[in-house]
Amino acid sequence: MTAAVTALSLIISPGSSATAAGKAASAAASRLEEPGAVPVKDQYDIRRELYDSLSSVMNVEWYWIAAVDQYERTISKAKPKARPQLGQTVGVFIEQERWAGELNPDSEDIFPLSIQWFNGIGRDGDGNGLAERNSDADLLYSLVRFASAKGTSDIRFPIGLWDYYRNSRSVQRIEQFASIYKKYGKLDLYEHAFPLPVGSSYSYRDTWGAKRGWGGRRSHEGTDLFAGHGTPVRSTCYGVIEIKGWNRFGGWRIGIRDLNNHYHYYAHLSGFDKKLAVGDIVEPGQVIGWVGSSGYGKQGTSGKFPPHLHYGIYSDRGLVEWAFDPYPLLRRWEQQERQRRRS
């Protein structure tokens, strides 16, 4: 208890560097709570200010804090009814009982010391002396503080994340997000590209839900883009290569995880960029392979259908993933890229 009180005092005691950081975090959070829509670019700046402020207090690198927040945001978007937004912009959701402590008679307790007494995780992250479950700074500080109990290094912090989520899938996602933020040093990493070079010869239509017979009756979960054998296939996003190799349905395929927690699936390739490996980070427009007709058989099988790229997108819901129709996104990305080329 003494250690926890001491740690808490670092946030709220006058004159401490943590108090200054707490005030900065409070200022960043208050800017997010100002009335009216905040432009997207400004939101990234304000979030980064909050991450940096908390990082200076907790000795946790900003990209870990950003990755935790972004992972929480993606799961809340996937489950909006079960995880309503608590703060103004931070994506963190913490259950009321976990925040205040399961045995706490006051489930809406906002006082850090009593919350701590009942083993709740709610803490004061902005230096105002209260642990408020609707405060961006308090939510993010409380989660990251819990996760940092095993250490704050790039090796130790994921151990604490497992203690919090008890789900290796969640830890993997946050590690992937952190690696992207760390490489580029910024938050605005949501640009997209069309998977084939715009201006090359290709055709596609909405093939979502079409029947497939090979390997058993199943529904087509993606869009087929027909193009000449060897046409470059490009990453549509900033992301991490999650899988690469052979699949008897998709042939030579590659899977990429982006910051929206979407899994981008590219199948029937004729080959990959040999320099790419699982865990590597790619960006929009980067060539990752080439159109082929591989699949529907043992490794190396090819030519059972015309060359094309099968492109699919899957959304992570925490424990399972579900596919959704990528056609509208492909049309949008194609139009955006054409506009960029014209300008």
Side-chain angles (χ1 to χ4, degrees), residues 109-127:
D109 195 351
I110 60 172
F111 297 102
L113 292 179
S114 56
I115 289 175
Q116 181 180 306
W117 178 262
F118 289 102
N119 295 318
I121 72 169
R123 295 294 186 271
D124 171 23
D126 57 16

Side-chain angles (χ1 to χ4, degrees), residues 320-335:
V320 297
E321 288 188 316
W322 54 275
F324 62 93
D325 188 356
Y327 181 78
L329 290 175
L330 289 169
R331 293 287 294 175
R332 183 193 308 169
W333 298 339
E334 182 184 35
Q335 292 170 4

Side-chain angles (χ1 to χ4, degrees), residues 208 220-225 236 254-256 262-267 309-314 323-326 330:
W208 176 261
H220 190 242
E221 295 183 343
T223 296
D224 288 337
L225 299 96
T236 59
I254 191 166
I256 297 171
H262 292 159
Y263 177 78
H264 301 250
Y265 177 67
Y266 310 76
L309 169 67
H310 169 92
Y311 177 75
I313 304 183
Y314 298 78
F324 62 93
D325 188 356
L330 289 169

Side-chain angles (χ1 to χ4, degrees), residues 14-257:
S16 70
S17 60
T19 300
K23 289 180 179 178
S26 179
S30 65
R31 288 171 62 194
L32 289 167
E33 295 169 7
E34 290 173 358
V38 180
V40 173
K41 291 285 186 182
D42 291 345
Q43 284 189 25
Y44 292 135
D45 291 341
I46 296 169
R47 286 180 192 169
R48 180 60 188 270
E49 182 182 342
L50 177 59
Y51 302 154
D52 287 341
S53 299
L54 294 178
S55 176
S56 66
V57 175
M58 310 175 78
N59 197 32
V60 177
E61 295 289 352
W62 75 270
Y63 48 80
W64 282 114
I65 300 174
V68 167
D69 184 29
Q70 182 60 19
Y71 174 72
E72 286 280 311
R73 182 176 293 106
T74 65
I75 298 301
S76 293
K77 285 183 177 180
K79 301 178 179 181
K81 292 183 179 179
R83 295 171 55 100
Q85 184 169 336
L86 299 177
Q88 294 299 311
T89 193
V90 164
V92 174
F93 177 85
I94 301 175
E95 296 84 354
Q96 188 77 58
E97 297 75 13
R98 193 172 194 182
W99 182 268
E102 291 186 6
L103 300 179
N104 194 331
D106 181 4
S107 62
E108 298 183 359
D109 195 351
I110 60 172
F111 297 102
L113 292 179
S114 56
I115 289 175
Q116 181 180 306
W117 178 262
F118 289 102
N119 295 318
I121 72 169
R123 295 294 186 271
D124 171 23
D126 57 16
N128 70 350
L130 302 175
E132 299 169 298
R133 192 164 162 261
N134 62 353
S135 161
D136 285 315
D138 291 2
L139 284 164
L140 193 51
Y141 173 77
S142 297
L143 195 163
V144 175
R145 177 189 173 280
F146 183 99
S148 63
K150 294 295 176 65
T152 61
S153 69
D154 287 357
I155 296 175
R156 301 293 299 177
F157 190 69
I159 300 174
L161 289 173
W162 192 91
D163 283 345
Y164 182 83
Y165 289 102
R166 298 287 167 167
N167 179 0
S168 58
R169 188 189 189 102
S170 300
V171 177
Q172 181 189 25
R173 298 292 178 265
I174 294 173
E175 288 179 312
Q176 291 168 330
F177 294 176
S179 68
I180 299 172
Y181 287 136
K182 181 179 182 180
K183 177 174 181 177
Y184 293 101
K186 62 179 184 177
L187 300 176
D188 187 5
L189 297 168
Y190 297 92
E191 178 186 336
H192 288 89
F194 193 69
L196 301 178
V198 173
S200 63
S201 179
Y202 59 82
S203 65
Y204 69 105
R205 60 185 178 84
D206 194 348
T207 53
W208 176 261
K211 293 181 179 179
R212 291 293 184 269
W214 191 88
R217 289 193 176 186
R218 52 200 171 88
S219 177
H220 190 242
E221 295 183 343
T223 296
D224 288 337
L225 299 96
F226 291 88
H229 193 281
T231 300
V233 173
R234 311 184 304 165
S235 172
T236 59
C237 61
Y238 290 96
V240 176
I241 296 177
E242 193 168 290
I243 197 167
K244 176 186 175 187
W246 181 266
N247 175 289
R248 70 189 187 98
F249 291 99
W252 298 116
R253 53 73 163 102
I254 191 166
I256 297 171
R257 179 77 51 184

Side-chain angles (χ1 to χ4, degrees), residues 281-329:
I281 298 170
V282 294
E283 54 192 58
Q286 180 177 341
V287 174
I288 57 176
W290 295 271
V291 170
S293 58
S294 61
Y296 284 19
K298 63 181 181 180
Q299 184 168 324
T301 301
S302 186
K304 289 195 171 184
F305 39 76
H308 68 278
L309 169 67
H310 169 92
Y311 177 75
I313 304 183
Y314 298 78
S315 177
D316 188 353
R317 296 179 62 83
L319 295 175
V320 297
E321 288 188 316
W322 54 275
F324 62 93
D325 188 356
Y327 181 78
L329 290 175

